[in-house]
Amino acid sequence: MSDVIDFTKRGAIGVITVNSPPVNALSAAVRDGLGEAFDKGQADPDIKAMVLLGGGRTFIAGADIREFGKPPQGKPFAEVLGGMENSSKIIVAAIHGTALGGGLETALCCHYRFAVPSALVGLPEVKLGLLPGAGGTQRLPRLVGVEKALDLVTSGDFVPAPQAKELGIINEVGDDLLEGAVAFAEKLVAEDAPLRKIRDLPCEAEAGVFEAYRKANARKFRGFLAPWKNIDCVEAAATLPFDEGIARERELFTECVTSPESAAQRHVFFAEREVAKIPDVPKDTPMKEIKKVAMIGAGTMGGGIAMNFANVGIPVQMLEVSQEALDKGLGIIQRNYQNTVSKGRLSQEKMDQRMAMFSTTTDYADIADADLVIEAVFENMEVKKEVFAKLDSVMKPGAILASNTSTLDIDEIASATKRPESVIGMHFFSPANVMRLLEVVRGKESSAETIATAMGMGRKVGKISVLVGNCFGFVGNRMLHGYTGEGTFLLETGALPQQVDKAIYDFGLAMGPFAMGDMAGLDIGWSVRKAKAADRPSNEEYGGTIPDRICELGRYGQKTGGGYYDYKEGDRTPIPNAEVQAIIEQVSKEKNIERTDYDDEEIIKRALYPLINIGAQILDEGMAMRPSDIDIIYINGYGFPAYKGGPMHWADSIGLENVLADLQRFHAAYGERWRPAPLLEKLVAEGKSFADYQAA
Ligand code: NAD
């Protein structure tokens, strides 16, 4: 028998166990071994039925994604599955852990499925820009109906075993995996149960169901390829004979697997796993146990950040300058939860439990025993230093002191304490209870334990933690600055806001820079520009002329009924404004700029290549550990489309030499802000891409 497949007999039941740690992925060796094992069971006259299970912690968890894109080896998966389904003896899948993707497809080619209650099943291929290519889209709808199947294949959601039983995916749920499955198989033999082949079940759909589904999800699936192809497959299941449906699924699988969207999504999948690795903070670095959190400031960010901890059952004490500020902050938190309850996404009981996690104080002595304190007071260095000096004087030794600053120097903040090793940045994004990104900002003296704990705490509250260096704007906002800045230069040189915003929306972001500015409020940037006016180097190109003039008219964005655009009362649809257009054209004239007619491609390059160029500078300075970390930041913090893989992967897909050629062209035309990053020039000279990049 093969090394990875074990075959034993339990009376008349053949037990086939996959032993290919860690997750029994469907490697060539596993496929070959399965083929042999079922042949063996088939040939043995004493065996009446077979049970297939996974050794170790899981059933066959899924395909072996390391084999993607490599030349095929071993027995084709479809052949193994065909052999199982056509076996003349009943095969029962015994599922524990996870049966995902190819794992569930294997189980669907068994005649019955037994699972322990904790098992999870699902077809998550869509998350990698793929579809289940081994019959999953043809068999699942025959079990659960097309509508449920559409939801499952387009979301990739995992279904717990008890719910999977209700849906008809699982036939029996029981506590003891091996004993339960063998007993179930024996019962089937005793009852002379039929060989239930899912392929023989009917698959029916009501007229119009697919069109309606496509329409209802058009926005959600915008730009992605795989959800649409998954829908096509389920439609094929309902409209074609089984074998033709399988052929269609194969065809569409090939389309997905060779698509740039899937390459990008697979890049993101691996990037999410890489992001936790920090070369000088090994995985086994001890993390501090966080049993109590203190939050300084209960404003927009403080409230949102605190909710994350309450949500996972960690008590949070909020500290503010006054009881009034505390009441206001807590009131907003309460309303936030209440909204979720009224939408039916949280039970009243859970809300009550979460609200019970909060306590408030105006006295620093009360928070002294917290294990982690996060400061989210006004963005002002003096105020922050004052807060950190107080924290230093009261907090217990070893407590982690974090700041949520978006721009300020973590080392300077740490200098207000005598324990800079315990100080770190934890830069949450707004709304902090929703946004998945957390930039953990490493100060020059932040200890390995402080870093490991901040990263781990982020993950514990459901964030994706990315370690970044201490520079102005850190990684995400520093890059954003280049993007929004170039947006106003684009206006000066010929574009209009609606044109830029449309190109960016069509590229895949949720909105363009001007709609975003109007939403966030233009007055914030205006006051920053005014404050910095005196220090601005005289040779620096100033991009603020247009937004300054718009603000001078009292047009601060949505909140004042207009900014770059007009807005009707209670409606966020941007409407182009003639006065704004006149300002833009006037500024071009004053600056002696001949306005150019841009196409969308040029707008995309102008607006988004600053992300690539600044990203390269950030890497060169060591402010991000790897290009894929930057991609994760941009996808999770700024809505860069996952199907383009983040700005750095996108750059690779364009070809760095092509990107560099455009940067050189822009540098010649628009000046210093476009100087190509040395790292980019180096990679191009060496014929490399960001994917080849290794930090020095
Ligand atoms: P905010 O004005 O909504 O809240 C600040 C709160 O801090 C106020 O409630 C204020 O009463 C309180 N406060 C001020 N001084 C204090 C002190 N000495 N002690 C205790 N409480 C004090 O501001 P915000 O938007 O929540 O921003 C807070 C921090 O988060 C800033 O550093 C900001 O740069 C950062 N940040 C903001 C965003 C965002 O989108 N708003 C995103 C990321 C980070």
Side-chain angles (χ1 to χ4, degrees), residues 479-491 493 495 497 499-505 507 509 511-514 598-614 634 640 647 650 663 666 670 673-674:
M479 289 165 65
L480 183 75
H481 200 66
Y483 157 77
T484 50
E486 195 57 31
T488 56
F489 284 120
L490 258 167
L491 299 184
T493 54
Q499 202 186 349
V500 177
D501 282 354
K502 180 175 183 307
I504 295 291
Y505 177 81
F507 177 84
L509 277 85
M511 64 183 87
F514 303 109
Y598 291 119
D599 59 15
D600 284 0
E601 195 188 335
E602 185 77 350
I603 289 179
I604 293 295
K605 289 178 179 174
R606 281 280 298 280
L608 295 178
Y609 281 10
L611 299 179
I612 301 171
N613 201 30
I614 299 172
Y634 248 74
F640 198 95
W650 178 56
L663 292 179
F666 295 152
Y670 308 117
R673 68 178 188 273
W674 279 105

Short mmCIF file of all heavy atoms in Angstrom, two decimals, residues 479-491 493 495 497 499-505 507 509 511-514 598-614 634 640 647 650 663 666 670 673-674:
data_model
loop_
_atom_site.label_atom_id
_atom_site.label_comp_id
_atom_site.label_asym_id
_atom_site.label_seq_id
_atom_site.Cartn_x
_atom_site.Cartn_y
_atom_site.Cartn_z
N MET A 479 1.67 56.41 1.24
CA MET A 479 1.39 56.12 -0.17
C MET A 479 0.13 56.86 -0.62
O MET A 479 0.07 57.40 -1.72
CB MET A 479 1.24 54.61 -0.37
CG MET A 479 2.57 53.89 -0.25
SD MET A 479 2.40 52.10 -0.07
CE MET A 479 1.69 51.65 -1.64
N LEU A 480 -0.87 56.88 0.26
CA LEU A 480 -2.13 57.55 -0.07
C LEU A 480 -1.90 59.01 -0.43
O LEU A 480 -2.52 59.56 -1.33
CB LEU A 480 -3.10 57.46 1.11
CG LEU A 480 -4.48 58.06 0.85
CD1 LEU A 480 -5.30 57.15 -0.06
CD2 LEU A 480 -5.24 58.32 2.14
N HIS A 481 -0.99 59.61 0.30
CA HIS A 481 -0.66 61.00 0.11
C HIS A 481 -0.19 61.25 -1.33
O HIS A 481 -0.60 62.22 -1.97
CB HIS A 481 0.47 61.35 1.09
CG HIS A 481 0.62 62.80 1.35
ND1 HIS A 481 -0.36 63.51 1.98
CD2 HIS A 481 1.62 63.65 1.05
CE1 HIS A 481 0.04 64.77 2.06
NE2 HIS A 481 1.23 64.88 1.49
N GLY A 482 0.62 60.33 -1.85
CA GLY A 482 1.10 60.45 -3.23
C GLY A 482 -0.06 60.33 -4.22
O GLY A 482 -0.11 61.03 -5.23
N TYR A 483 -0.99 59.47 -3.88
CA TYR A 483 -2.14 59.23 -4.77
C TYR A 483 -3.10 60.42 -4.78
O TYR A 483 -3.44 60.95 -5.84
CB TYR A 483 -2.82 57.94 -4.30
CG TYR A 483 -4.27 57.74 -4.67
CD1 TYR A 483 -4.63 57.36 -5.96
CD2 TYR A 483 -5.27 57.87 -3.71
CE1 TYR A 483 -5.97 57.12 -6.28
CE2 TYR A 483 -6.60 57.64 -4.02
CZ TYR A 483 -6.96 57.27 -5.30
OH TYR A 483 -8.26 57.05 -5.61
N THR A 484 -3.50 60.87 -3.59
CA THR A 484 -4.45 61.99 -3.57
C THR A 484 -3.77 63.26 -4.09
O THR A 484 -4.39 64.06 -4.79
CB THR A 484 -4.99 62.26 -2.14
OG1 THR A 484 -3.88 62.33 -1.26
CG2 THR A 484 -5.91 61.15 -1.68
N GLY A 485 -2.49 63.41 -3.78
CA GLY A 485 -1.74 64.58 -4.24
C GLY A 485 -1.72 64.63 -5.76
O GLY A 485 -1.99 65.66 -6.38
N GLU A 486 -1.43 63.49 -6.39
CA GLU A 486 -1.34 63.47 -7.84
C GLU A 486 -2.72 63.75 -8.45
O GLU A 486 -2.82 64.31 -9.54
CB GLU A 486 -0.79 62.14 -8.33
CG GLU A 486 -0.33 62.15 -9.77
CD GLU A 486 0.72 63.21 -10.10
OE1 GLU A 486 1.53 63.56 -9.21
OE2 GLU A 486 0.71 63.71 -11.24
N GLY A 487 -3.77 63.38 -7.72
CA GLY A 487 -5.13 63.66 -8.21
C GLY A 487 -5.32 65.14 -8.50
O GLY A 487 -5.83 65.51 -9.57
N THR A 488 -4.87 66.00 -7.59
CA THR A 488 -5.09 67.43 -7.84
C THR A 488 -4.17 67.94 -8.95
O THR A 488 -4.55 68.82 -9.71
CB THR A 488 -4.91 68.27 -6.55
OG1 THR A 488 -3.63 68.03 -6.02
CG2 THR A 488 -5.96 67.95 -5.52
N PHE A 489 -2.97 67.35 -9.07
CA PHE A 489 -2.11 67.73 -10.21
C PHE A 489 -2.77 67.34 -11.54
O PHE A 489 -2.64 68.04 -12.54
CB PHE A 489 -0.73 67.08 -10.10
CG PHE A 489 0.15 67.74 -9.07
CD1 PHE A 489 0.65 67.03 -7.99
CD2 PHE A 489 0.50 69.08 -9.20
CE1 PHE A 489 1.46 67.64 -7.04
CE2 PHE A 489 1.32 69.70 -8.26
CZ PHE A 489 1.80 68.98 -7.18
N LEU A 490 -3.47 66.20 -11.51
CA LEU A 490 -4.18 65.77 -12.72
C LEU A 490 -5.23 66.79 -13.12
O LEU A 490 -5.46 67.04 -14.31
CB LEU A 490 -4.87 64.43 -12.46
CG LEU A 490 -4.20 63.18 -13.00
CD1 LEU A 490 -4.83 61.94 -12.38
CD2 LEU A 490 -4.29 63.10 -14.52
N LEU A 491 -5.89 67.37 -12.10
CA LEU A 491 -6.89 68.40 -12.41
C LEU A 491 -6.19 69.60 -13.07
O LEU A 491 -6.69 70.15 -14.05
CB LEU A 491 -7.60 68.87 -11.14
CG LEU A 491 -8.39 67.82 -10.36
CD1 LEU A 491 -9.13 68.47 -9.19
CD2 LEU A 491 -9.38 67.08 -11.25
N THR A 493 -3.55 69.65 -14.83
CA THR A 493 -3.00 69.41 -16.18
C THR A 493 -4.05 68.99 -17.20
O THR A 493 -3.70 68.75 -18.34
CB THR A 493 -1.86 68.37 -16.13
OG1 THR A 493 -2.35 67.19 -15.49
CG2 THR A 493 -0.65 68.90 -15.38
N ALA A 495 -7.50 67.06 -16.36
CA ALA A 495 -8.64 66.19 -16.06
C ALA A 495 -9.69 66.93 -15.23
O ALA A 495 -9.41 68.00 -14.67
CB ALA A 495 -8.16 64.97 -15.30
N PRO A 497 -12.67 66.22 -12.00
CA PRO A 497 -12.84 65.25 -10.91
C PRO A 497 -13.66 64.02 -11.33
O PRO A 497 -13.28 62.89 -11.02
CB PRO A 497 -13.60 66.05 -9.83
CG PRO A 497 -13.27 67.47 -10.10
CD PRO A 497 -13.05 67.59 -11.58
N GLN A 499 -13.99 62.69 -14.14
CA GLN A 499 -13.28 61.81 -15.06
C GLN A 499 -12.28 60.93 -14.30
O GLN A 499 -12.20 59.72 -14.52
CB GLN A 499 -12.53 62.74 -16.02
CG GLN A 499 -12.16 62.17 -17.31
CD GLN A 499 -11.28 63.17 -18.08
OE1 GLN A 499 -11.14 64.34 -17.70
NE2 GLN A 499 -10.70 62.68 -19.14
N VAL A 500 -11.56 61.54 -13.36
CA VAL A 500 -10.59 60.79 -12.56
C VAL A 500 -11.33 59.76 -11.71
O VAL A 500 -10.97 58.58 -11.67
CB VAL A 500 -9.78 61.75 -11.65
CG1 VAL A 500 -8.82 60.95 -10.76
CG2 VAL A 500 -9.03 62.78 -12.48
N ASP A 501 -12.39 60.21 -11.05
CA ASP A 501 -13.12 59.30 -10.15
C ASP A 501 -13.70 58.12 -10.91
O ASP A 501 -13.70 57.00 -10.42
CB ASP A 501 -14.22 60.06 -9.40
CG ASP A 501 -13.65 60.88 -8.24
OD1 ASP A 501 -12.44 60.77 -7.97
OD2 ASP A 501 -14.41 61.64 -7.60
N LYS A 502 -14.19 58.38 -12.11
CA LYS A 502 -14.77 57.27 -12.87
C LYS A 502 -13.69 56.26 -13.25
O LYS A 502 -13.88 55.05 -13.14
CB LYS A 502 -15.50 57.79 -14.11
CG LYS A 502 -16.10 56.64 -14.90
CD LYS A 502 -16.95 57.08 -16.08
CE LYS A 502 -17.60 55.88 -16.78
NZ LYS A 502 -16.67 54.83 -17.16
N ALA A 503 -12.54 56.77 -13.70
CA ALA A 503 -11.45 55.86 -14.10
C ALA A 503 -11.01 55.00 -12.91
O ALA A 503 -10.78 53.80 -13.04
CB ALA A 503 -10.28 56.65 -14.66
N ILE A 504 -10.93 55.63 -11.74
CA ILE A 504 -10.48 54.90 -10.55
C ILE A 504 -11.55 53.88 -10.11
O ILE A 504 -11.23 52.75 -9.73
CB ILE A 504 -10.19 55.88 -9.39
CG1 ILE A 504 -9.01 56.79 -9.76
CG2 ILE A 504 -9.93 55.15 -8.09
CD1 ILE A 504 -7.68 56.11 -9.83
N TYR A 505 -12.81 54.28 -10.20
CA TYR A 505 -13.89 53.35 -9.85
C TYR A 505 -13.88 52.17 -10.81
O TYR A 505 -13.96 51.01 -10.40
CB TYR A 505 -15.25 54.08 -9.91
CG TYR A 505 -16.42 53.17 -9.63
CD1 TYR A 505 -16.78 52.84 -8.33
CD2 TYR A 505 -17.15 52.60 -10.68
CE1 TYR A 505 -17.83 51.97 -8.08
CE2 TYR A 505 -18.20 51.74 -10.45
CZ TYR A 505 -18.55 51.43 -9.14
OH TYR A 505 -19.58 50.56 -8.90
N PHE A 507 -11.42 51.02 -12.39
CA PHE A 507 -10.24 50.20 -12.10
C PHE A 507 -10.55 49.21 -10.97
O PHE A 507 -10.02 48.11 -10.95
CB PHE A 507 -9.08 51.12 -11.67
CG PHE A 507 -7.82 50.40 -11.27
CD1 PHE A 507 -6.91 49.99 -12.23
CD2 PHE A 507 -7.55 50.13 -9.93
CE1 PHE A 507 -5.74 49.32 -11.86
CE2 PHE A 507 -6.40 49.46 -9.55
CZ PHE A 507 -5.49 49.05 -10.52
N LEU A 509 -11.45 50.45 -7.39
CA LEU A 509 -11.58 50.99 -6.04
C LEU A 509 -13.03 51.39 -5.79
O LEU A 509 -13.79 51.59 -6.75
CB LEU A 509 -10.64 52.18 -5.83
CG LEU A 509 -9.21 51.76 -5.46
CD1 LEU A 509 -8.38 51.47 -6.70
CD2 LEU A 509 -8.52 52.82 -4.62
N MET A 511 -14.21 54.14 -4.70
CA MET A 511 -14.48 55.49 -5.21
C MET A 511 -13.15 56.16 -5.54
O MET A 511 -12.09 55.70 -5.11
CB MET A 511 -15.26 56.32 -4.19
CG MET A 511 -14.53 56.58 -2.90
SD MET A 511 -15.55 57.49 -1.73
CE MET A 511 -16.41 56.16 -0.94
N GLY A 512 -13.23 57.24 -6.30
CA GLY A 512 -12.01 57.96 -6.67
C GLY A 512 -11.61 58.96 -5.60
O GLY A 512 -12.31 59.14 -4.60
N PRO A 513 -10.48 59.65 -5.79
CA PRO A 513 -9.93 60.51 -4.74
C PRO A 513 -10.81 61.72 -4.41
O PRO A 513 -10.80 62.19 -3.27
CB PRO A 513 -8.59 60.96 -5.30
CG PRO A 513 -8.67 60.76 -6.77
CD PRO A 513 -9.61 59.61 -6.99
N PHE A 514 -11.57 62.21 -5.39
CA PHE A 514 -12.35 63.43 -5.11
C PHE A 514 -13.64 63.10 -4.37
O PHE A 514 -14.02 63.80 -3.43
CB PHE A 514 -12.58 64.21 -6.41
CG PHE A 514 -11.27 64.55 -7.06
CD1 PHE A 514 -10.87 63.91 -8.23
CD2 PHE A 514 -10.39 65.43 -6.45
CE1 PHE A 514 -9.63 64.18 -8.78
CE2 PHE A 514 -9.14 65.70 -7.00
CZ PHE A 514 -8.76 65.07 -8.17
N TYR A 598 -7.09 63.57 -21.35
CA TYR A 598 -6.55 62.27 -20.92
C TYR A 598 -7.50 61.14 -21.24
O TYR A 598 -8.72 61.31 -21.11
CB TYR A 598 -6.33 62.27 -19.40
CG TYR A 598 -5.21 63.17 -18.96
CD1 TYR A 598 -5.46 64.24 -18.11
CD2 TYR A 598 -3.91 62.94 -19.39
CE1 TYR A 598 -4.43 65.06 -17.69
CE2 TYR A 598 -2.88 63.77 -18.98
CZ TYR A 598 -3.15 64.82 -18.13
OH TYR A 598 -2.13 65.62 -17.73
N ASP A 599 -6.92 59.98 -21.56
CA ASP A 599 -7.79 58.79 -21.57
C ASP A 599 -7.65 58.11 -20.20
O ASP A 599 -6.78 58.47 -19.39
CB ASP A 599 -7.45 57.85 -22.73
CG ASP A 599 -6.00 57.36 -22.69
OD1 ASP A 599 -5.35 57.51 -21.63
OD2 ASP A 599 -5.53 56.84 -23.71
N ASP A 600 -8.53 57.12 -19.99
CA ASP A 600 -8.57 56.47 -18.67
C ASP A 600 -7.24 55.81 -18.32
O ASP A 600 -6.82 55.82 -17.16
CB ASP A 600 -9.68 55.42 -18.63
CG ASP A 600 -11.05 56.07 -18.50
OD1 ASP A 600 -11.11 57.32 -18.44
OD2 ASP A 600 -12.05 55.33 -18.46
N GLU A 601 -6.58 55.26 -19.31
CA GLU A 601 -5.33 54.54 -19.05
C GLU A 601 -4.28 55.50 -18.46
O GLU A 601 -3.59 55.16 -17.49
CB GLU A 601 -4.84 53.93 -20.36
CG GLU A 601 -3.77 52.89 -20.14
CD GLU A 601 -3.13 52.41 -21.44
OE1 GLU A 601 -3.78 52.51 -22.50
OE2 GLU A 601 -1.98 51.98 -21.37
N GLU A 602 -4.20 56.67 -19.04
CA GLU A 602 -3.22 57.64 -18.56
C GLU A 602 -3.61 58.14 -17.16
O GLU A 602 -2.75 58.33 -16.29
CB GLU A 602 -3.12 58.80 -19.56
CG GLU A 602 -2.04 59.82 -19.24
CD GLU A 602 -0.62 59.37 -19.58
OE1 GLU A 602 -0.42 58.19 -19.91
OE2 GLU A 602 0.30 60.22 -19.49
N ILE A 603 -4.90 58.32 -16.95
CA ILE A 603 -5.35 58.75 -15.61
C ILE A 603 -4.98 57.72 -14.56
O ILE A 603 -4.47 58.05 -13.48
CB ILE A 603 -6.88 59.01 -15.61
CG1 ILE A 603 -7.18 60.28 -16.42
CG2 ILE A 603 -7.42 59.13 -14.19
CD1 ILE A 603 -8.65 60.62 -16.52
N ILE A 604 -5.21 56.45 -14.90
CA ILE A 604 -4.87 55.37 -13.95
C ILE A 604 -3.37 55.41 -13.63
O ILE A 604 -2.97 55.31 -12.46
CB ILE A 604 -5.25 53.99 -14.55
CG1 ILE A 604 -6.78 53.87 -14.67
CG2 ILE A 604 -4.69 52.83 -13.75
CD1 ILE A 604 -7.49 53.87 -13.36
N LYS A 605 -2.56 55.56 -14.65
CA LYS A 605 -1.11 55.59 -14.41
C LYS A 605 -0.72 56.78 -13.54
O LYS A 605 0.04 56.64 -12.57
CB LYS A 605 -0.35 55.68 -15.74
CG LYS A 605 -0.39 54.41 -16.55
CD LYS A 605 0.35 54.62 -17.87
CE LYS A 605 0.33 53.32 -18.68
NZ LYS A 605 0.91 53.54 -20.02
N ARG A 606 -1.24 57.94 -13.89
CA ARG A 606 -0.89 59.14 -13.11
C ARG A 606 -1.35 59.01 -11.66
O ARG A 606 -0.66 59.39 -10.72
CB ARG A 606 -1.54 60.38 -13.74
CG ARG A 606 -0.84 60.92 -14.97
CD ARG A 606 0.38 61.77 -14.64
NE ARG A 606 0.09 62.97 -13.87
CZ ARG A 606 -0.38 64.11 -14.36
NH1 ARG A 606 -0.62 64.23 -15.65
NH2 ARG A 606 -0.58 65.16 -13.56
N ALA A 607 -2.57 58.50 -11.49
CA ALA A 607 -3.12 58.48 -10.13
C ALA A 607 -2.53 57.35 -9.29
O ALA A 607 -2.29 57.52 -8.10
CB ALA A 607 -4.64 58.34 -10.17
N LEU A 608 -2.28 56.21 -9.91
CA LEU A 608 -1.92 55.03 -9.11
C LEU A 608 -0.43 54.68 -9.13
O LEU A 608 0.04 54.01 -8.20
CB LEU A 608 -2.75 53.82 -9.54
CG LEU A 608 -4.26 53.94 -9.27
CD1 LEU A 608 -5.00 52.71 -9.79
CD2 LEU A 608 -4.56 54.13 -7.79
N TYR A 609 0.32 55.12 -10.12
CA TYR A 609 1.75 54.79 -10.10
C TYR A 609 2.50 55.42 -8.91
O TYR A 609 3.51 54.87 -8.48
CB TYR A 609 2.42 55.14 -11.43
CG TYR A 609 2.18 54.13 -12.54
CD1 TYR A 609 1.24 53.11 -12.39
CD2 TYR A 609 2.89 54.17 -13.73
CE1 TYR A 609 1.02 52.19 -13.39
CE2 TYR A 609 2.68 53.24 -14.74
CZ TYR A 609 1.74 52.26 -14.58
OH TYR A 609 1.52 51.34 -15.57
N PRO A 610 2.01 56.55 -8.36
CA PRO A 610 2.70 57.01 -7.14
C PRO A 610 2.69 55.94 -6.04
O PRO A 610 3.65 55.84 -5.27
CB PRO A 610 1.88 58.23 -6.71
CG PRO A 610 1.31 58.76 -7.98
CD PRO A 610 1.01 57.53 -8.81
N LEU A 611 1.64 55.10 -5.99
CA LEU A 611 1.61 54.04 -4.97
C LEU A 611 2.79 53.10 -5.18
O LEU A 611 3.45 52.68 -4.23
CB LEU A 611 0.31 53.24 -5.06
CG LEU A 611 -1.01 53.97 -4.83
CD1 LEU A 611 -2.18 53.00 -4.98
CD2 LEU A 611 -1.04 54.61 -3.44
N ILE A 612 3.06 52.78 -6.43
CA ILE A 612 4.15 51.83 -6.73
C ILE A 612 5.50 52.48 -6.41
O ILE A 612 6.35 51.87 -5.76
CB ILE A 612 4.09 51.44 -8.22
CG1 ILE A 612 2.74 50.79 -8.56
CG2 ILE A 612 5.25 50.51 -8.57
CD1 ILE A 612 2.51 50.57 -10.06
N ASN A 613 5.65 53.71 -6.86
CA ASN A 613 6.95 54.38 -6.68
C ASN A 613 7.24 54.62 -5.20
O ASN A 613 8.35 54.35 -4.71
CB ASN A 613 6.94 55.69 -7.48
CG ASN A 613 8.35 56.17 -7.78
OD1 ASN A 613 9.27 55.36 -7.94
ND2 ASN A 613 8.52 57.49 -7.85
N ILE A 614 6.25 55.11 -4.48
CA ILE A 614 6.45 55.35 -3.04
C ILE A 614 6.59 54.01 -2.32
O ILE A 614 7.40 53.87 -1.40
CB ILE A 614 5.30 56.19 -2.44
CG1 ILE A 614 5.24 57.55 -3.14
CG2 ILE A 614 5.48 56.38 -0.93
CD1 ILE A 614 4.03 58.40 -2.78
N TYR A 634 -2.75 47.81 1.34
CA TYR A 634 -3.60 48.55 0.40
C TYR A 634 -4.94 47.89 0.14
O TYR A 634 -5.95 48.57 -0.06
CB TYR A 634 -2.82 48.88 -0.90
CG TYR A 634 -2.66 50.36 -0.88
CD1 TYR A 634 -1.73 50.93 0.00
CD2 TYR A 634 -3.55 51.18 -1.53
CE1 TYR A 634 -1.69 52.30 0.17
CE2 TYR A 634 -3.50 52.55 -1.37
CZ TYR A 634 -2.58 53.10 -0.52
OH TYR A 634 -2.57 54.43 -0.33
N PHE A 640 -8.04 48.71 -2.31
CA PHE A 640 -7.44 48.34 -3.60
C PHE A 640 -7.99 46.96 -3.96
O PHE A 640 -8.07 46.07 -3.11
CB PHE A 640 -5.91 48.28 -3.45
CG PHE A 640 -5.17 48.34 -4.76
CD1 PHE A 640 -4.71 49.54 -5.26
CD2 PHE A 640 -4.93 47.17 -5.51
CE1 PHE A 640 -4.02 49.60 -6.47
CE2 PHE A 640 -4.25 47.23 -6.72
CZ PHE A 640 -3.79 48.45 -7.20
N PRO A 647 -0.99 47.03 -5.03
CA PRO A 647 -0.21 47.84 -5.97
C PRO A 647 1.11 47.20 -6.43
O PRO A 647 1.50 47.37 -7.58
CB PRO A 647 0.07 49.15 -5.21
CG PRO A 647 -0.45 48.97 -3.85
CD PRO A 647 -1.32 47.76 -3.80
N TRP A 650 0.35 44.31 -8.74
CA TRP A 650 -0.16 44.92 -9.99
C TRP A 650 1.01 45.42 -10.82
O TRP A 650 1.07 45.21 -12.04
CB TRP A 650 -1.13 46.05 -9.61
CG TRP A 650 -1.70 46.82 -10.75
CD1 TRP A 650 -2.39 46.31 -11.82
CD2 TRP A 650 -1.66 48.24 -10.94
NE1 TRP A 650 -2.78 47.33 -12.65
CE2 TRP A 650 -2.34 48.52 -12.14
CE3 TRP A 650 -1.12 49.30 -10.21
CZ2 TRP A 650 -2.49 49.82 -12.63
CZ3 TRP A 650 -1.27 50.59 -10.69
CH2 TRP A 650 -1.95 50.85 -11.89
N LEU A 663 7.23 56.18 -15.41
CA LEU A 663 7.70 57.07 -14.33
C LEU A 663 8.73 58.05 -14.89
O LEU A 663 8.73 59.23 -14.55
CB LEU A 663 8.33 56.26 -13.19
CG LEU A 663 7.39 55.37 -12.36
CD1 LEU A 663 8.17 54.63 -11.28
CD2 LEU A 663 6.29 56.19 -11.71
N PHE A 666 6.92 60.71 -16.76
CA PHE A 666 6.26 61.66 -15.86
C PHE A 666 7.30 62.55 -15.16
O PHE A 666 7.07 63.73 -14.92
CB PHE A 666 5.41 60.93 -14.81
CG PHE A 666 4.25 60.17 -15.38
CD1 PHE A 666 3.75 59.03 -14.73
CD2 PHE A 666 3.62 60.58 -16.55
CE1 PHE A 666 2.68 58.33 -15.25
CE2 PHE A 666 2.54 59.87 -17.09
CZ PHE A 666 2.07 58.74 -16.43
N TYR A 670 6.69 66.31 -15.29
CA TYR A 670 6.06 66.93 -14.11
C TYR A 670 7.01 67.17 -12.94
O TYR A 670 6.57 67.63 -11.89
CB TYR A 670 4.86 66.09 -13.64
CG TYR A 670 3.88 65.79 -14.74
CD1 TYR A 670 3.65 64.47 -15.14
CD2 TYR A 670 3.19 66.81 -15.39
CE1 TYR A 670 2.76 64.18 -16.16
CE2 TYR A 670 2.29 66.53 -16.41
CZ TYR A 670 2.08 65.21 -16.80
OH TYR A 670 1.21 64.94 -17.81
N ARG A 673 8.65 65.11 -8.02
CA ARG A 673 7.83 64.16 -7.27
C ARG A 673 7.74 62.82 -7.98
O ARG A 673 7.35 61.82 -7.40
CB ARG A 673 6.43 64.74 -7.00
CG ARG A 673 5.57 64.90 -8.23
CD ARG A 673 4.19 65.43 -7.91
NE ARG A 673 3.31 65.40 -9.07
CZ ARG A 673 3.21 66.34 -9.99
NH1 ARG A 673 3.94 67.45 -9.89
NH2 ARG A 673 2.38 66.21 -11.01
N TRP A 674 8.10 62.81 -9.25
CA TRP A 674 8.03 61.58 -10.04
C TRP A 674 9.38 60.88 -10.20
O TRP A 674 9.49 59.93 -10.95
CB TRP A 674 7.46 61.88 -11.43
CG TRP A 674 5.96 61.96 -11.44
CD1 TRP A 674 5.22 63.09 -11.52
CD2 TRP A 674 5.03 60.88 -11.36
NE1 TRP A 674 3.88 62.79 -11.49
CE2 TRP A 674 3.74 61.43 -11.40
CE3 TRP A 674 5.16 59.50 -11.25
CZ2 TRP A 674 2.58 60.65 -11.33
CZ3 TRP A 674 4.02 58.71 -11.18
CH2 TRP A 674 2.74 59.29 -11.22
#
